[in-house]
Amino acid sequence: MTSTAAAIVVQLWRVQLDADAKLDQLAATLSEDERARAARFVFERDRRRFVSARAALRSIIASRTDIPARKLQFEYASRKKPALAPWCRAADLRFNLSHAQGVALIGLTHGHELGVDVEQVRALDDTEALVAREFSQGERGVFAAVPVAERSEAFFRAWVRKEAYLKATGEGLHRPLADVEVTFTPHEAARLLAVSGDVSISQRWSMVSLAPSPGYVGALVAEAPAVRVVLHGFDDAGALARG
């Protein structure tokens, strides 16, 4: 994390999605289309997690806008990046949500694009194929030098940083992950290195590494030279300083 007088402030929440909560009360704060999306989940656990994440997002934004959570309206750009509808925007509020298994991250700031991503570290059967397809040539060389025992975490560290950047820009699946080059070894600070080979783009963005819960990695990316992150719901401040 970078800290300077010119740093923008990003509020970051960790939400435990498997906490005991009354699903009906949470669902009542969602929009009709959100409830329809929730109903399409096959497994109850996944439905509960989706409802809990969306309700948490609405609750946080409601506390910053003085608009009841159930009345907030979202709109989606052509590439599906969510934003508040014009009538309920407050001081150019920007936000992003990501969740994996039972953990969600919600980032919020004003006037600057941001993206967050979280993943549970786990062994994958197709890691090598994913690295070959989604990593740049330089990243593939770096990954090959990572000790085998550390490769799962290194892979997901790279993955969440790439995804967080693409969520911040709104490009999502419209830009290949291999275009976004990042640091991801344990001894390197989190940084955007280049986009499609252009290193100058990295100067406009800050990247923060996160350890939201044991066994999870996350990343926050903001369109600003420096950021100051204020944590909510994290166990300890060291969540910003690992990896």
Side-chain angles (χ1 to χ4, degrees):
M1 177 179 59
T2 304
S3 179
T4 71
I8 69 166
V9 175
V10 176
Q11 306 284 337
L12 183 69
W13 285 261
R14 185 193 68 167
V15 181
Q16 297 284 24
L17 301 179
D18 292 331
D20 186 24
K22 295 183 178 180
L23 196 64
D24 289 345
Q25 292 180 4
L26 296 178
T29 69
L30 305 189
S31 66
E32 184 176 342
D33 68 293
E34 287 172 323
R35 289 193 293 271
R37 287 173 62 188
R40 290 196 289 269
F41 284 97
V42 175
F43 299 107
E44 175 67 15
R45 181 184 62 183
D46 296 332
R47 181 161 49 251
R48 289 185 64 90
R49 287 173 173 174
F50 174 84
V51 170
S52 295
R54 298 296 296 194
L57 174 65
R58 284 178 169 271
S59 176
I60 289 167
I61 294 176
S63 70
R64 296 308 194 268
T65 60
D66 292 326
I67 299 172
R70 68 182 183 279
K71 293 186 176 181
L72 289 169
Q73 291 183 345
F74 300 111
E75 61 181 14
Y76 298 86
S78 59
R79 293 181 175 178
K80 305 300 182 182
K81 185 176 183 181
L84 286 173
W87 73 267
C88 57
R89 288 178 183 164
D92 201 11
L93 187 67
R94 312 291 178 91
F95 62 90
N96 202 232
L97 161 70
S98 177
H99 59 92
Q101 303 304 321
V103 175
L105 294 179
I106 298 171
L108 184 151
T109 192
H110 296 271
H112 297 266
E113 298 298 342
L114 82 159
V116 295
D117 198 60
V118 61
E119 286 283 354
Q120 184 179 39
V121 176
R122 59 199 185 277
L124 299 175
D125 294 333
D126 57 348
T127 299
E128 297 302 324
L130 287 169
V131 169
R133 185 173 71 246
E134 308 293 2
F135 283 30
S136 69
Q137 181 177 353
E139 289 172 328
R140 293 195 295 271
V142 173
F143 187 81
V146 173
V148 173
E150 299 175 10
R151 287 187 179 178
S152 290
E153 185 166 348
F155 172 82
F156 281 107
R157 196 180 295 118
W159 191 273
V160 295
R161 294 175 187 181
K162 291 168 177 277
E163 288 281 6
Y165 171 77
L166 292 177
K167 292 180 72 177
T169 63
E171 293 173 287
L173 297 177
H174 295 273
R175 179 185 287 276
L177 287 177
D179 284 358
V180 183
E181 297 184 63
V182 298
T183 59
F184 56 86
T185 62
H187 306 297
E188 295 178 286
R191 287 190 300 124
L192 176 67
L193 298 176
V195 179
S196 297
D198 185 351
V199 298
S200 67
I201 293 177
S202 65
Q203 299 174 9
R204 304 203 316 264
W205 296 87
S206 292
M207 181 175 288
V208 178
S209 180
L210 304 167
S213 288
Y216 288 78
V217 293
L220 182 150
V221 174
E223 191 175 18
V227 299
R228 181 170 67 86
V229 182
V230 179
L231 297 175
H232 304 271
F234 283 76
D235 293 332
D236 61 86
L240 290 175
R242 300 168 186 163

